[in-house]
Amino acid sequence: WTYFFANRTKFFYLKLFHLIFYQTKFVFTGVELFFKTKLQGCDTVQFTTWQMAAGAIGLFLYSVSFEHGPSHWSLMAVVYLLYSGILASAFAFVIWSHLLSKMEASKASISLLMVPVIGTLSGFLFLKESLNSITLLGIALVLSGVWLVNHTGSTRISNSY
């Protein structure tokens, strides 16, 4: 109990993180279902615009509720915000929607495993981070797994019991 009382601020923020995380997943699922049923005939870019707008409203509400203190805006802060929100996130969502329209969801979801690979390689290329043999082995295993799942010549396992 001594540890708990000494670190109760950490526990509070951990619980708050879990609350926000699960709320976000719940809201994302609900919004996704709403958009899939109500905006089925929409263009992918239009769909992404609505999705990003709904997410921005939720993030703004969380920000107003939990963030306190001064904020320091600069040109670079705005550029980073626009890049992260519009270019990176919206572009990735358009690609994701396109993948889902062209292939099975189970195969498309495996492509999400490429995110850590791209992040690791980006850190190596742009931030001069080192790559050790275990990391390279992990990258090779992830790439092999993604390739195996998405290989067009794969055979299906039947559900006969």
Side-chain angles (χ1 to χ4, degrees), residues 22-87:
Y22 289 116
Q23 259 186 331
T24 303
K25 290 297 181 185
F26 179 73
V27 169
F28 178 77
T29 303
V31 169
E32 191 75 24
L33 288 171
F34 173 77
F35 284 140
K36 293 259 186 210
T37 57
K38 300 295 182 191
L39 300 175
Q40 217 168 19
C42 287
D43 178 48
T44 305
V45 175
Q46 183 182 13
F47 179 79
T48 302
T49 304
W50 283 108
Q51 184 78 14
M52 292 293 157
I57 291 168
L59 289 174
F60 177 74
L61 293 174
Y62 273 121
S63 174
V64 169
S65 300
F66 296 110
E67 295 293 328
H68 303 291
S71 60
H72 305 284
W73 287 91
S74 66
L75 177 63
M76 286 311 293
V78 172
V79 169
Y80 291 148
L81 182 66
L82 292 175
Y83 169 77
S84 177
I86 296 173
L87 187 62

Side-chain angles (χ1 to χ4, degrees), residues 11 24 32 34 36 46 51 55 64 71 73 75 85 99 103 108 110 113 117-118 127 132 134 145-147 149 151 153:
F11 285 108
T24 303
E32 191 75 24
F34 173 77
K36 293 259 186 210
Q46 183 182 13
Q51 184 78 14
V64 169
S71 60
W73 287 91
L75 177 63
L99 280 174
M103 62 188 337
I110 295 297
L113 295 175
V117 172
I118 293 169
L127 302 175
N132 58 34
I134 297 296
V146 170
W147 180 81
V149 168
H151 187 341

Side-chain angles (χ1 to χ4, degrees), residues 3 6 12 20 23-24 33 39 54 57 64-65 76 96 115 121 125-127 129 135 138 140-141 152 156:
Y3 179 78
F12 170 75
I20 292 170
Q23 259 186 331
T24 303
L33 288 171
L39 300 175
I57 291 168
V64 169
S65 300
M76 286 311 293
W96 176 247
V115 171
L121 294 177
L125 293 173
F126 301 114
L127 302 175
E129 294 178 352
T135 304
L141 288 172
T152 56
R156 294 187 180 259

